[in-house]
Amino acid sequence: MADTTNADHAGAPRTDEGAETDARPRAEPVVRTITQDDVRAALAEGLSDFRAAPRFGLFFGAVYALAGIALVLLTAYSGMGYLAYPLAAGFALIGPFVAVGLYEVSRRRETGEPLAFGPVLGVVFSQSKRELGWMAFVTLFIMIIWMYQVRLLLAIFLGYQSFATLGAFLTVVFTTPEGLMFLVVGNVVGAFLAAALFSLTVVSFPLLLDRDVDFITAMITSVKAVVTNPKPMLGWAAFIVALLILAIVPFFLGLLIVLPALGHATWRLYRRVVEPVGEGAAG
């Protein structure tokens, strides 16, 4: 059944101008109920994908890590080192878009299509000009909201004082009542934004790569997946946050391993959450 499912998926999102595809009504994605065992199995399958094609995982992980390093160095060079922590936290929000290439690698392993950088990157760039481009805008928009609320909370709790270094900023944050309030409120707001973005994107990015649906349908399906499976999906979200924090601490270098592992596992989890095309009718 797995081979038939993969064959059904292969090619559907690749038809940019198919009159036949446009003429037929598109079936709404169906969300399944999953358990923690499915999450663990998806993680194991994702690690297997990483081990089978490590060069792709290391490449996309390196791109993500280098972008994070560049952003932090830019804040330090601009005399805004105090923004390094919130910027690093916000930078994690765009991870799902960066992982699109990893989803494509996992998809190709399923269907037996060749694994080469040309085809993988070609699919990523072509999809980014379609509905995936709108999803990228959604993630970027939420990151901008995150940075604006950081500046607002800085003004509310710490006034408009400037900090020469990141160390000076951290000293104020961790040793003063105002700083601690800023930290607590900021992390609560950040957790809310991260949970919202996770709900909107955990299934939508893989779905848009896999099928010819619009990004609104993809986001609705993603939210349905979280609402239908709150414990396993929110547990997966907490696991992602914990791993990303550990990966970012050593100057983003942990992302070389963590991003590909999570990216491949997210694709495998999507396969378990969203019913394949035609399976409901066949069953």
Side-chain angles (χ1 to χ4, degrees):
M1 184 179 70
D3 292 339
T4 303
T5 296
N6 294 334
D8 288 338
H9 283 293
R14 309 290 181 240
T15 54
D16 293 323
E17 298 183 52
E20 182 182 351
T21 300
D22 292 337
R24 293 179 301 188
R26 298 173 183 173
E28 292 294 323
V30 178
V31 172
R32 291 166 163 166
T33 299
I34 62 169
T35 66
Q36 294 289 359
D37 289 338
D38 289 296
V39 176
R40 286 190 285 267
L43 180 58
E45 292 168 355
L47 290 173
S48 178
D49 285 342
F50 185 23
R51 288 193 297 267
R55 66 188 187 278
F56 295 97
L58 293 174
F59 171 77
F60 288 108
V63 169
Y64 192 42
L66 289 174
I69 293 171
L71 283 175
V72 171
L73 292 178
L74 182 61
T75 60
Y77 178 78
S78 304
M80 296 185 293
Y82 59 93
L83 288 179
Y85 165 69
L87 188 60
F91 183 67
L93 297 176
I94 65 174
F97 178 68
V98 181
V100 168
L102 300 168
Y103 306 155
E104 175 64 11
V105 171
S106 290
R107 190 196 68 80
R108 284 173 174 266
R109 286 201 70 224
E110 289 178 356
T111 59
E113 295 177 59
L115 286 176
F117 276 105
V120 170
L121 293 176
V123 168
V124 172
F125 286 122
S126 65
Q127 292 293 316
S128 67
K129 298 175 183 178
R130 300 169 64 192
E131 297 296 317
L132 271 174
W134 287 107
M135 282 305 306
F137 174 79
V138 171
T139 58
L140 181 61
F141 178 72
I142 292 182
M143 184 177 177
I144 292 173
I145 292 177
W146 161 253
M147 293 307 299
Y148 267 105
Q149 69 88 22
V150 168
R151 296 300 298 267
L152 176 62
L153 293 177
L154 279 172
I156 292 174
F157 293 107
L158 303 180
Y160 291 95
Q161 57 182 306
S162 59
F163 303 94
T165 64
L166 176 60
F169 170 72
L170 294 178
T171 298
V172 172
V173 167
F174 287 105
T175 61
T176 65
E178 297 82 4
L180 291 174
M181 282 299 298
F182 163 77
L183 192 64
V184 170
V185 175
N187 281 323
V188 168
V189 175
F192 174 79
L193 289 175
L197 186 62
F198 172 82
S199 299
L200 291 171
T201 61
V202 63
V203 164
S204 58
F205 274 104
L207 179 59
L208 287 171
L209 181 68
D210 190 40
R211 303 190 196 177
D212 186 18
V213 298
D214 61 271
F215 80 102
I216 299 296
T217 298
M219 288 192 295
I220 292 173
T221 304
S222 190
V223 172
K224 283 182 180 178
V226 175
V227 172
T228 303
N229 306 283
K231 288 185 178 179
M233 295 302 284
L234 293 179
W236 176 240
F239 181 71
I240 290 175
V241 170
L243 280 188
L244 287 178
I245 290 174
L246 293 176
I248 288 174
V249 168
F251 208 54
F252 293 91
L253 296 180
L255 292 172
L256 288 170
I257 303 300
V258 170
L259 179 74
L262 293 178
H264 289 304
T266 297
W267 173 267
R268 296 296 182 171
L269 186 61
Y270 154 73
R271 282 295 200 216
R272 292 172 176 270
V273 173
V274 178
E275 188 174 284
V277 172
E279 183 169 294

